[in-house]
Amino acid sequence: MSEQSTVKANSESVAHHVRQAILDGEFVPRQRLIEADLSTEFGATRAAVRHALMTLEGEGLIERMPNRGARVRAISPNEAIEIVEVRVGLEVLVARRAAERIEADRIAALASLRDGMRTAVESGDLVRYAALNQEMDAVLREISHHGVANQLLERLRAQAARHQFRLAFDPQRANASVEEHAAIIDAVIARDPDAAATATETHLAAIIQAISRTHA
């Protein structure tokens, strides 16, 4: 592999890890991202880190400040709502494709995720619930086999992650959210694309309403 190819491969890995850290709430809005620290943390060269940060800037996840390096971009509530609105069409497409393409050996795994999310909410373990929520999203995207939609969603989810991260730790919202997720899973398991689409639209509409109420 050439040096240029190695840098590109390493930068893609760094971009993935930083993107996931933003999605998980580990990197918070306005947090500085120092190239030397990221290079050490991810075992990558400074060139690979610099290339990764340029990629994430293009995705709207970070911003570069003159003479101050890069930091995680803060997303306003209004922008977060617009991001979720854009996600609706993509999420509905993924849900439809997942319902159409799910194979028998994936049904039990989805049902287990549904039950696990309910158990987490009932026990008040909202950290576990948030993690299972992300796992469910990843499984549905994988089942859908829609590469373009999945790539776009990965970027959009990370941009609005902070707002949804807060909602995940609101017990009242979690009680409603877990049943919205269950409806999506049940529709996919039943191989009902229309029901999966409707359940997804309902869930995302509720997220928009919740963000609006939180920042009213």
Side-chain angles (χ1 to χ4, degrees), residues 56-67:
L56 295 170
E57 182 181 24
E59 294 177 8
L61 296 178
I62 71 167
E63 59 187 355
R64 290 180 175 273
M65 304 169 291
N67 304 317

Side-chain angles (χ1 to χ4, degrees), residues 92-104 110 140 143-146 184 187-197:
V92 165
L93 175 59
V94 166
R96 281 187 173 278
R97 291 293 182 270
E100 293 167 353
R101 297 173 177 175
I102 187 170
E103 298 177 355
L110 267 182
L140 289 178
I143 293 171
S144 75
H145 295 298
H146 200 297
I184 296 170
V188 171
I189 288 175
R191 297 189 173 94
D192 187 336
D194 290 340

Side-chain angles (χ1 to χ4, degrees), residues 141 146-156:
R141 292 199 304 272
H146 200 297
V148 173
N150 291 339
Q151 289 175 8
L152 293 172
L153 279 172
E154 185 175 13
R155 298 178 183 182
L156 291 170

